[in-house]
């Protein structure tokens, strides 16, 4: 689990976007799972994201016209997997994040914390190799934020995913194995923390 | 590409947006309804014409001439068939002794065998079979009602008096419009000579209707008559030609109406484009997330293309069904102008065409915002910057799309007009209008941004600022409303332009009553009656009939036979009605040469003055010699001068004017013009003259102007009815545009109220904004319509255009009221509730 930290405007989100293949570097390469992203077209990068990547955003980024379960189903439906199988898997994940009784609610009918849970379920449905989280608790109160953090870490552990987390919260960063500090668009420090296990 | 997921996603994503999507659809509904109504109507009309083809003529063949048939022609017709019915038609005054009324009428002296197909519909029905037997008259039903006449009353035509046997409702091959310019009167053919109206100088049309014998081949008859036409100087029509003529007229009319309706569809397309833009803008976050999840750009495009197509299809379907109902009303508008009974049925082809056109337009105009969807980057999930959708497309794409849309519109116009050049002009004109409107909108927004006076109070500044703020409606309103206003206003102004050329009432120097066919020995008596009524004769002109015998030494027949002839046939073949005088009149201007007012005798070369248009059509020049056959006497003349003649005045004007001293001994008749102070004086004079001299006809200018006005009103009403679809579409698009910005407006007004603004202040800001929008839309629309009407007047009618400010002022008031109404309707219910309650309601 890696945390990217830095003050506002330091380039954390930009770095995240580059790593996830959402953006193109002006020079150099980004290699994700052995694939050089800059050699791919936008659609090819989309396919790579669908195969290998999960996202959790600060603003949840749920599709407002889809129910909770439909939001979670999107990544696997894009692959063309059978609806019955995808629906069951999405339901299981929603139960795992504690929203088993809210599967047919729309985002506007859910609280902030509930929306983020749906987003987490969506991020994990395609069993990604890497999960990118951009300030996942930034829009939540402290208590809810802590629950969300625990959820992300638990799922990350159980699914054996690499987590890359952007945050300006030093406490959250301390829960990760590696902290990369960014300042003015440059890496200021890159520290591996020695821990027996990550608190969750 | 997983199509199943794409369709599922398109359906799911449309939830909670379906009400908005309906508004977008509504823009298409009206345009498609107009298209289907007109196309269905044309199909119905053509079917009716085909079913009633023979009744268009009432016979298999109609042959006509302005003089008795040559023996050779009559012999040919006799060999063709013994079933012939003759008709003599001419204009003459009809006098009604019951109430002393007079009317210039279309007299048809008809043999009762006509019609061979169809019937003359009368009231009572048996009158059509009885008029000839009982030597009675049939008169237009409308005229009977107007003059409060009944069956059994009498009508005097010339020296003959007839009993009115019945009212004419319908004559095969004629529409009600035929009676607009003079009621129709059917008299028995037998005995018409005794009316004294068939004298030299009367304008008579001789017609024979023929019913073919079994086995006659119409094409052979047409070929044989064609071969004789020029030498024997006659015209003819058979069923096929009449059907083609009527059908062609219907095609031109419906194509024209279709184009007008197409403008409504185009406005709908603009509405769709602006709506889809707003819609896609709201979907940027959704598309960005989908791209993050792994959706390709084509998958994202496909989702919204499906929504746009579905919206277009449903809208077109509703429009097509509505149009099918509307077509039931169209016959009411045009029946008076159509010579067949219109049978209505559902035209599935028209519905299909409407569907295809509606969907095509929806997709065409949605292309630009939809293609921008492909360019929405997944990075927008991380960045929440304001995105300009248009800037996502590169210049080449934008130009290509613009070209595709233009080509699509031009193709449709080409199909309608059957003329590529006209289609290009149509599209070019539309694009020019839209550019001017869009340019004006940009100018207003930039101007409002820069020039809001800081000294104005807050409400005024805020109201003006709303013209250029993000999500403003300035462009949408000016484009859609402006185009609709341009169209409708142009129609009104052009109609007014045409009427202005014939509105002579109140002009004291011009005559308002013209009498003609006054025989030589009647002239003094007529002048005396006029003077006895205390009226002044404005003109009393002699008229001598003559034909052109040769031009520059070549006989007319020789010129006609010349296949390289430049001179127009009508100018060579015509029976001229010339006059003689020693001065030019007020309606003439000398163009070239010398006007010679008097000359001694006709044995030498007589100098004549020829009108400029006739000289062009004769391909002649000043100095050329013309030999005239003046009722058997040849007179050699030369063109001494040409005149520009203002033909659009209610007084006699002449192609050829002789000097005095030449034609005085020739057989002649007179035309006299008078200015009467009021309607009663005009009626009294006409009555006295018709009683004393039944052969004399009178044109009451006031009545003619009224009739033309009514005729133009009826014609333009049809066009305006279709044009109304454009206005309705404009209103729908405006309402849709206003609705999409409702939440933003509500938030703004709630914020203002939270900060302490009173309800009155908030409403005032909105009134100011919409009043400005209404004024701007009215101004630019009317500016364009004045320009369009001026161009039409200059290039097409050759008339100087003077705008009618009463029409313009009325339109301005109406438009502003409409825009204000829609705008304020949009903000209903937000001023009376607490701010938080409103935000909660609208947010959900």
């Amino acid at each position: 689990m890696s945390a990217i930290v830095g003050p506002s405007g330091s380039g954390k989100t930009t770095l995240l976007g580059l790593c996830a293949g959402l953006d193109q570097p002006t020079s150099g390469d980004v290699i994700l799972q052995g694939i050089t992203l800059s050699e791919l077209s936008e659609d090819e990068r989309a396919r790579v994201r669908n195969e290998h990547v999960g996202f959790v955003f600060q603003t949840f980024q749920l599709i407002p016209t889809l129910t909770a379960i439909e939001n979670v189903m999107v990544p696997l439906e894009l692959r063309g997997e059978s609806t019955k199988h995808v629906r069951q898997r999405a339901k299981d994940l929603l139960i795992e994040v504690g929203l088993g009784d809210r599967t047919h609610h729309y985002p506007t009918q859910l609280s902030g914390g509930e929306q983020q849970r749906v987003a987490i379920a969506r991020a994990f449905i395609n069993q990604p190799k890497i999960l990118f989280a951009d300030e996942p608790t930034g829009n939540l109160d402290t208590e809810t934020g802590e629950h969300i953090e625990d959820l992300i870490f638990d799922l990350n552990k159980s699914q054996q995913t690499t987590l890359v987390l952007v945050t300006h919260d030093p406490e959250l960063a301390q829960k990760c194995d590696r902290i990369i500090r960014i300042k003015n668009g440059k890496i200021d420090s890159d520290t591996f923390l020695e821990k027996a296990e990550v608190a969750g | 590409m997983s199509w199943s997921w794409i369709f599922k996603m398109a359906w799911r994503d449309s939830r909670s947006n379906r009400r908005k999507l309906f508004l977008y659809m509504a823009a298409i509904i009206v345009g498609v309804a107009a298209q289907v109504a007109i196309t269905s109507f044309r199909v119905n009309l053509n079917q009716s014409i085909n079913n009633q083809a023979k009744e268009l003529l009432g016979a298999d063949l109609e042959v006509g001439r302005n003089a008795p048939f040559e023996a050779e022609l009559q012999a040919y017709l006799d060999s063709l068939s013994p079933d012939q019915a003759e008709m003599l038609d001419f204009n003459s005054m009809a006098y009604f002794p019951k109430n002393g009324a007079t009317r210039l009428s279309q007299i048809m002296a008809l043999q009762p065998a006509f019609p061979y197909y169809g019937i003359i519909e009368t009231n009572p029905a048996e009158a059509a079979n009885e008029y000839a037997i009982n030597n009675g008259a049939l008169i237009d039903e409308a005229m009977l009602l107007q003059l409060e006449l009944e069956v059994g009353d009498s009508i005097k035509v010339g020296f003959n008096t007839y009993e009115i046997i019945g009212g004419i409702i319908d004559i095969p091959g004629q529409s009600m419009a035929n009676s607009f310019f003079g009621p129709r009167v059917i008299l028995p053919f037998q005995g018409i000579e005794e009316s004294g109206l068939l004298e030299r100088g009367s304008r008579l049309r001789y017609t024979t209707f023929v019913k073919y014998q079994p086995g006659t081949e119409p094409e052979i008859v047409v070929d044989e008559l064609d071969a004789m036409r020029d030498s024997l100087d006659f015209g003819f029509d058979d069923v096929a030609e009449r059907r083609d003529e009527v059908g062609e007229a219907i095609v031109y009319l419906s194509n024209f109406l279709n184009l007008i309706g197409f403008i409504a569809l185009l406005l709908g397309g603009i509405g769709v484009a602006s709506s889809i833009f707003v819609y896609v803008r709201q979907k940027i976050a959704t598309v960005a997330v989908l791209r993050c999840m792994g959706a390709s750009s084509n998958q994202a495009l496909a989702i919204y293309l499906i929504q746009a197509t579905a919206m277009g299809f449903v809208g077109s379907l509703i429009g097509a069904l509505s149009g099918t109902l509307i077509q039931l009303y169209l016959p009411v508008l045009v029946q008076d102008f159509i010579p067949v009974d219109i049978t209505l049925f559902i035209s599935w082809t028209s519905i299909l065409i409407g569907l295809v056109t509606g969907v095509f337009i929806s997709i065409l105009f949605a292309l630009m915002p939809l293609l921008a969807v492909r360019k929405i980057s997944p990075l927008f999930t991380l960045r929440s910057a304001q995105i300009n959708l248009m800037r996502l497309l590169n210049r080449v794409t934008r130009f290509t799309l613009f070209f595709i849309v233009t080509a699509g519109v031009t193709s449709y116009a080409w199909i309608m007009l059957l003329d590529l050049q006209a289609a290009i002009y149509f599209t070019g004109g539309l694009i020019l209008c839209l550019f001017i409107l869009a340019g004006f909108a940009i100018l207003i927004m930039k101007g409002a941004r820069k020039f809001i006076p800081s000294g104005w109070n807050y409400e005024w500044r805020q109201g003006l600022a709303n013209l250029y703020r993000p999500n403003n409606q300035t462009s949408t309103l000016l484009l859609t409303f402006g185009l609709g206003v341009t169209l409708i206003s142009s129609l009104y102004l052009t109609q007014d332009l045409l009427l202005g050329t014939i509105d002579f009432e109140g002009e004291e120097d011009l005559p308002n009553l013209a009498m003609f066919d006054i025989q030589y020995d009647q002239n003094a008596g007529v002048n005396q009656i006029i003077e006895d009524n205390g009226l002044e004769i404005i003109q009393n002109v002699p008229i001598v009939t003559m034909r052109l015998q040769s031009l520059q030494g070549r006989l007319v027949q020789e010129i006609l036979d010349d296949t390289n002839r430049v001179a127009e046939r009508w100018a060579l073949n015509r029976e001229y009605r010339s006059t003689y005088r020693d001065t030019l009149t007020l309606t003439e201007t000398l163009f070239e040469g010398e006007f010679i007012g008097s000359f001694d005798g006709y044995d030498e070369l007589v100098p004549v003055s020829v009108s400029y248009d006739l000289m062009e059509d004769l391909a002649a020049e000043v100095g050329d010699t013309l030999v005239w056959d003046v009722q058997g006497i040849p007179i050699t003349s030369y063109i001494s001068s040409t005149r520009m003649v203002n033909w659009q005045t209610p007084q006699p004007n002449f192609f050829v004017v002789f000097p005095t001293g030449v034609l005085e001994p020739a057989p002649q008749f007179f035309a006299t013009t008078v200015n009467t102070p009021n309607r009663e004086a005009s009626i009294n004079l006409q009555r006295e003259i018709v009683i004393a001299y039944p052969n004399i006809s009178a044109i009451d200018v006031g009545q003619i102007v009224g009739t033309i006005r009514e005729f133009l009103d009826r014609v333009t009403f049809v066009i305006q009815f279709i044009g109304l679809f454009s206005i309705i579409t404009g209103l729908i698009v405006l309402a849709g545009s206003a609705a999409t910005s409702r939440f933003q407006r509500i938030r703004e007004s709630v914020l203002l109220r939270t900060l302490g603004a009173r309800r009155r202040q908030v409403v005032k800001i909105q009134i100011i904004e919409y009043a400005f929008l209404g004024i701007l839309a009215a101004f630019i629309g009317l500016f364009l319509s004045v320009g369009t009407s001026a161009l039409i007047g200059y290039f097409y009618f050759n008339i100087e255009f003077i705008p009618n400010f009463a029409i313009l002022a009325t339109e301005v008031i109406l438009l502003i009221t409409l825009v204000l109404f829609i705008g304020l309707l949009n903000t209903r219910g937000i001023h009376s509730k607490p701010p938080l309650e409103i935000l909660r309601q609208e947010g959900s």
Side-chain angles (χ1 to χ4, degrees), chain A residues 13-14 17 22-23 42-43 46 49-50 55 57 61 63-66 70 74-75 77-78 83 106 122 134, chain B residues 5 8-9 12-13 15-17 283 286 289-297 299 377-379 381-383:
Chain A
T13 302
T14 306
L22 301 179
D23 202 357
E42 185 57 58
D43 282 350
R49 288 195 293 272
N50 184 257
F55 288 95
F57 301 98
Q61 296 287 14
I63 297 173
T65 50
L66 303 185
E70 286 167 348
V74 168
E77 281 188 312
L78 276 169
T83 305
Y106 288 96
R122 181 180 66 187
D134 180 24
Chain B
W5 174 79
K8 254 193 288 204
M9 187 63 204
R12 288 170 188 165
D13 186 66
R15 288 178 203 150
S16 84
N17 291 309
K283 296 292 178 181
T286 299
V289 168
L290 287 173
R291 299 285 276 126
C292 252
M293 302 296 115
S296 68
S297 50
Q299 281 175 314
S377 167
L379 197 58
T381 48
L382 300 176
R383 306 278 184 217

Side-chain angles (χ1 to χ4, degrees), chain B residues 349 410 518 656 742 775:
Chain B
T349 317
T410 309
I518 303 170
V656 183
R742 179 175 160 85
I775 290 168

Side-chain angles (χ1 to χ4, degrees), chain B residues 22 48 57 98 216 256 292 390 423 573 816:
Chain B
F22 178 75
S48 302
L57 216 53
K98 179 178 175 180
T216 304
F256 177 67
C292 252
M390 285 298 289
N573 253 348
I816 295 172

Side-chain angles (χ1 to χ4, degrees), chain B residues 56-273:
Chain B
L56 283 174
L57 216 53
D60 291 309
L61 179 69
E62 178 187 317
V63 182
R65 192 169 190 254
N66 289 339
F69 288 6
E70 301 282 356
E72 190 184 333
L73 175 61
Q74 190 59 55
Y76 176 79
L77 294 178
D78 291 341
S79 72
L80 203 55
S81 170
D83 293 325
Q84 298 179 32
E86 288 182 55
M87 179 174 78
L88 262 176
D89 66 276
F90 51 93
N91 292 320
S92 180
M93 293 302 280
Y95 172 65
F96 302 92
K98 179 178 175 180
N99 50 26
T102 59
R103 277 290 185 279
L104 181 63
S105 305
Q106 301 175 55
I107 310 297
M108 290 177 275
L110 187 55
Q111 288 185 328
F114 178 88
Y116 292 106
Y117 307 103
I119 57 167
I120 297 175
E121 210 181 318
T122 55
N123 178 27
E126 58 273 19
N129 297 325
E130 289 175 359
Y131 77 92
I133 301 166
N134 298 333
N135 202 39
L138 302 172
I139 298 171
D140 262 327
E141 179 89 339
M143 181 53 48
L144 289 181
L145 293 169
Q146 198 183 92
L147 297 179
E148 293 173 0
L149 298 168
E150 290 168 345
V151 169
D153 290 338
S154 57
I155 173 175
K156 190 173 179 201
V157 178
F159 294 110
N160 287 1
T161 302
Y162 301 86
E163 183 188 343
I164 298 173
I165 299 288
I168 300 169
I169 296 170
D170 194 32
I171 300 174
Q174 292 194 14
S175 66
M176 270 295 288
N178 280 73
S179 65
F180 275 18
F181 297 100
R184 296 168 296 182
V185 176
I186 294 179
L187 303 174
F189 188 80
Q190 190 147 1
I192 194 66
E193 312 79 23
E194 283 133 40
S195 67
L197 297 173
L198 311 186
E199 303 299 311
R200 187 201 303 279
S202 304
R203 286 177 183 269
L204 303 169
R205 178 99 184 139
Y206 295 78
T207 306
T208 297
F209 297 97
V210 179
K211 184 181 174 187
Y212 288 154
Q213 296 299 289
T216 304
E217 292 188 34
E219 300 83 12
I220 294 177
V221 173
V222 166
D223 289 341
E224 288 171 349
L225 285 171
D226 250 333
M228 291 188 271
R229 190 210 298 256
D230 278 351
S231 58
L232 299 180
D233 188 28
F234 65 91
F236 71 93
D237 260 346
D238 70 344
V239 169
E241 181 154 344
R242 181 61 61 88
R243 184 183 54 215
D244 288 347
E245 280 170 14
V246 175
E248 197 178 297
I250 302 297
V251 164
Y252 283 131
L253 170 68
S254 61
N255 280 352
F256 177 67
L257 291 177
N258 248 337
L259 261 187
I260 307 281
F262 184 52
I263 292 175
L265 200 54
L266 287 179
L267 287 177
I270 293 172
V272 163

